[in-house]
């Protein structure tokens, strides 16, 4: 069956009966047609037999994307998706609603292991990893129950002003009346209940460290902001259609988050971990791995509002020193505010690859880096390896980028001491890792 509106060479709409193979990075599994074509199949599980309908691809494509529309032989790990908006052609926010929670974590572990082997040449044992992906505290729920973990939800708005979520790899909006993985503080705002004429998107933020609630409105060109009347008190921000900046309309321009016994100001929709337990979980994993000592010097790269810099400063004490580097102007302002009681902390604004060489730093005891999804890259990794740190903590939201960078570290004499993985994005394919590296001991 072929889509009548697709180009002649398109295979969109074609259906294949396939045996589903292993999981792949990106929330899908790999299958092959009888003719040998590679399919990336969503809504399937390894070992199943399914009918897969092509959603992207042409005769000349290296691979095709597809959805499992009929399950002929189901995996024992399959469950009925709890969310009515999950499934082929629907909301793209979740990848694994159809898998038991334990199976989701195993799939993520398999992806990490495959990426480590393929891109870094490491087995789990060589990476100091036991192969498990740990759930966050409170997330171990029975099949059919979904953790309400997403404290920040980006709603898309259709032409009629209805709020929803994007379909997978599409600009189309799936209109919803409730997101099951949204934190209670987001759900209780009631964003899905009203219309948002003239808006392109709405981001809802429910701080887990306070009762602060915020919405960030992005109007369509020329549209006026609506009067925001939601079910709970909320501050309102807007995205400037000219420069993309975020400006306060009313209420606080920031939300307050808590981690490591400290309150952190996070302004203008700035970055903070989305899962309510994530900041504390990752901070503890980093500090346990680094074991900071009094008087040591440390770098916190891509430091955001100062989560790791503050934890380091607290542990290295008055005789130690911490330098944070962050590209976002507002995040730097927040970090300086959040860490004002640590005189031995300095925060510099700019890209790490530009600022770090200008600091003149030639040696350091500890390094934390939490780069964006693309990773730190070869140039930055090689620079860091030259600073002689006794330990480096690498926090990664993408196992492929992590594995590439671990290979670059290995080129310059750093090996992985331990790796831990955390399921801080349940129902999705995303996973967070913390790798602790140390220099390879040279034979005397």
């Amino acid at each position: 069956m072929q889509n009548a509106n697709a180009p002649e060479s398109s295979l969109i709409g074609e259906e294949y009966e396939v045996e589903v193979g292993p999981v792949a990075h990106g929330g899908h599994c790999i299958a092959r047609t009888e003719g040998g074509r590679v399919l990336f199949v969503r809504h399937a599980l390894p070992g199943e037999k399914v009918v897969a309908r092509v959603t992207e691809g042409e005769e000349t494509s290296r691979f095709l994307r597809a959805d499992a529309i009929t399950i002929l032989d189901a995996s024992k790990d399959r469950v009925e998706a709890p969310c009515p908006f999950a499934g082929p052609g629907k909301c793209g926010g979740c990848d694994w609603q159809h898998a038991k929670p334990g199976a989701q974590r195993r799939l993520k572990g398999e992806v990490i292991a495959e990426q480590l082997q393929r891109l870094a040449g490491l087995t789990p044992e060589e990476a100091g990893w036991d192969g498990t992906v740990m759930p966050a505290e409170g997330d171990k729920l029975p099949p059919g129950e979904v953790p309400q973990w997403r404290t920040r939800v980006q709603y898309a708005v259709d032409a009629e002003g209805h709020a929803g979520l994007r379909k997978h790899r599409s600009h189309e909006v799936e209109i919803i009346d409730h997101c099951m993985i949204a934190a209670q503080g987001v759900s209780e705002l009631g964003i899905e209940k009203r219309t948002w004429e003239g808006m392109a998107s709405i981001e809802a933020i429910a701080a887990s460290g306070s009762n602060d609630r915020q919405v960030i409105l992005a109007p369509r060109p020329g549209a006026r902001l609506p009067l925001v009347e939601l079910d709970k008190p909320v501050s309102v921000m807007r995205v400037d259609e000219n420069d993309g900046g975020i400006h306060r309309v009313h209420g606080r321009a920031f939300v307050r988050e808590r981690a490591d016994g400290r309150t952190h100001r996070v302004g203008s929709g700035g970055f903070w971990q989305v899962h309510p337990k994530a900041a504390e979980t990752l901070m503890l994993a980093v500090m346990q791995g680094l074991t900071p000592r009094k008087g040591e010097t440390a770098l916190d790269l891509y430091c955001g509002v100062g989560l790791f810099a503050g934890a380091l400063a607290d542990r290295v004490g008055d005789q130690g020193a911490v330098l944070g580097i962050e590209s976002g102007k507002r995040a730097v302002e927040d970090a300086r505010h959040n860490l004002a009681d640590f005189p031995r902390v300095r925060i510099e604004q700019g890209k790490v690859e530009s600022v770090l060489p200008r600091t003149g730093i030639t040696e350091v005891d500890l390094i934390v880096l939490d780069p964006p999804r693309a990773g730190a890259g070869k140039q930055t990794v090689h620079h860091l390896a030259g600073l002689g740190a006794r330990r480096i903590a690498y926090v990664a939201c993408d196992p492929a980028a992590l594995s590439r960078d671990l290979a670059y570290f290995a080129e310059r004499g750093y090996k992985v001491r331990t790796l831990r993985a955390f399921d801080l994005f349940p129902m999705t394919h995303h996973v967070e890792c913390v790798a602790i590296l140390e220099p390879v001991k040279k034979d005397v």
Side-chain angles (χ1 to χ4, degrees), residues 197-276:
E197 292 179 13
M199 297 300 102
S201 68
I202 305 149
E203 183 176 8
I205 300 170
S208 51
S210 66
N211 289 321
D212 295 347
R213 305 287 181 265
Q214 187 177 84
V215 294
I216 303 173
L217 305 179
R220 298 182 188 277
R224 298 180 61 182
L225 281 188
L227 181 64
V228 177
E229 294 179 336
L230 293 171
D231 294 348
K232 294 286 181 180
V234 66
S235 62
V236 179
M237 311 285 285
R238 69 164 289 162
V239 178
D240 190 291
E241 62 185 77
N242 297 315
D243 62 12
I246 298 176
H247 307 288
R248 185 176 71 89
V249 177
H250 71 74
R252 282 197 185 97
F254 58 86
V255 297
R256 294 163 297 176
E257 299 284 4
R258 292 280 296 175
D260 198 30
R262 301 175 57 80
T263 297
H264 297 75
R265 186 181 81 182
V266 185
S268 299
F271 177 77
W272 186 261
Q273 289 288 342
V274 178
H275 193 294

Side-chain angles (χ1 to χ4, degrees), residues 34-35 44 59 78 85 101 107 118 136 143 175 196 203 223 237 239 253 261 284 308 327 342 348 401 432:
E34 285 186 2
E59 290 282 359
R78 177 172 285 276
F85 307 107
L107 292 170
R118 186 166 66 86
I175 304 305
W196 299 89
E203 183 176 8
M237 311 285 285
V239 178
L284 285 173
F308 298 121
S327 61
F342 291 117
E348 297 285 348
E432 202 85 25

Side-chain angles (χ1 to χ4, degrees), residues 304-384:
V305 301
L307 170 65
F308 298 121
L312 285 166
D314 192 42
R315 288 158 178 79
V316 300
D318 294 341
Q319 299 306 307
V322 179
L323 170 67
I325 301 177
E326 165 60 39
S327 61
K329 182 180 178 183
R330 180 58 200 253
V332 167
E333 292 173 3
D334 286 336
R336 288 171 177 164
H337 170 86
N338 295 335
L339 305 175
D341 54 338
F342 291 117
R344 297 274 286 167
V345 174
R346 190 168 97 248
I347 307 294
E348 297 285 348
Q349 184 191 347
K351 293 185 176 180
V352 168
E353 61 268 26
S354 302
V355 174
L356 189 57
R358 294 203 306 264
T359 63
I361 292 172
T362 57
E363 58 182 358
V364 71
D365 296 307
L366 302 171
I367 299 171
V368 181
L369 64 158
D370 185 3
R373 192 167 298 281
K378 189 172 188 176
Q379 176 187 341
T380 297
V381 165
H382 283 185
H383 188 136
L384 296 177

Side-chain angles (χ1 to χ4, degrees), residues 16 18-24 26-32 39-53 66-79 81 86-88 94-100 103-104 107 110 429:
Y16 300 94
V18 293
E19 299 273 356
V20 180
V23 65
H28 49 254
C29 297
I30 298 173
R32 290 183 183 270
L39 298 181
F40 288 168
V41 187
R42 279 172 60 81
H43 311 293
L45 292 171
E48 292 186 326
K49 181 182 285 187
V50 305
V51 175
R53 179 181 294 159
D67 285 342
I69 58 166
T70 304
I71 311 303
L72 303 173
D73 187 7
S75 164
K76 61 180 176 53
D77 290 325
R78 177 172 285 276
V79 294
C94 291
D95 306 292
W96 299 119
Q97 288 260 354
H98 58 287
K100 293 177 182 177
Q104 294 181 34
L107 292 170
E110 289 171 19
H429 75 272

Side-chain angles (χ1 to χ4, degrees), residues 371-431:
R373 192 167 298 281
K378 189 172 188 176
Q379 176 187 341
T380 297
V381 165
H382 283 185
H383 188 136
L384 296 177
L387 299 178
R390 69 172 179 85
R391 284 198 184 162
I392 298 172
Y394 190 127
V395 183
C397 60
D398 186 287
L402 169 65
S403 299
R404 282 192 297 270
D405 284 347
L406 291 182
Y408 298 144
F409 272 114
E411 292 173 358
R412 294 302 175 97
Y414 273 80
K415 66 176 182 180
V416 187
R417 174 186 172 89
T418 61
L419 187 144
R420 297 171 70 185
F422 302 95
D423 188 16
L424 301 178
F425 308 90
M427 302 293 154
T428 79
H429 75 272
H430 299 291
V431 63

Side-chain angles (χ1 to χ4, degrees), residues 100-102 104-105 108 134-143 145-150 181 274-278 281 422-427:
K100 293 177 182 177
Q104 294 181 34
R105 293 190 287 273
K108 295 181 187 194
M134 296 298 296
E137 180 187 342
D139 278 0
K140 226 169 177 181
L141 299 173
E145 291 188 32
V146 176
Q148 298 173 317
W149 60 270
R150 184 170 276 282
I181 64 171
V274 178
H275 193 294
K277 302 290 185 183
T281 297
F422 302 95
D423 188 16
L424 301 178
F425 308 90
M427 302 293 154

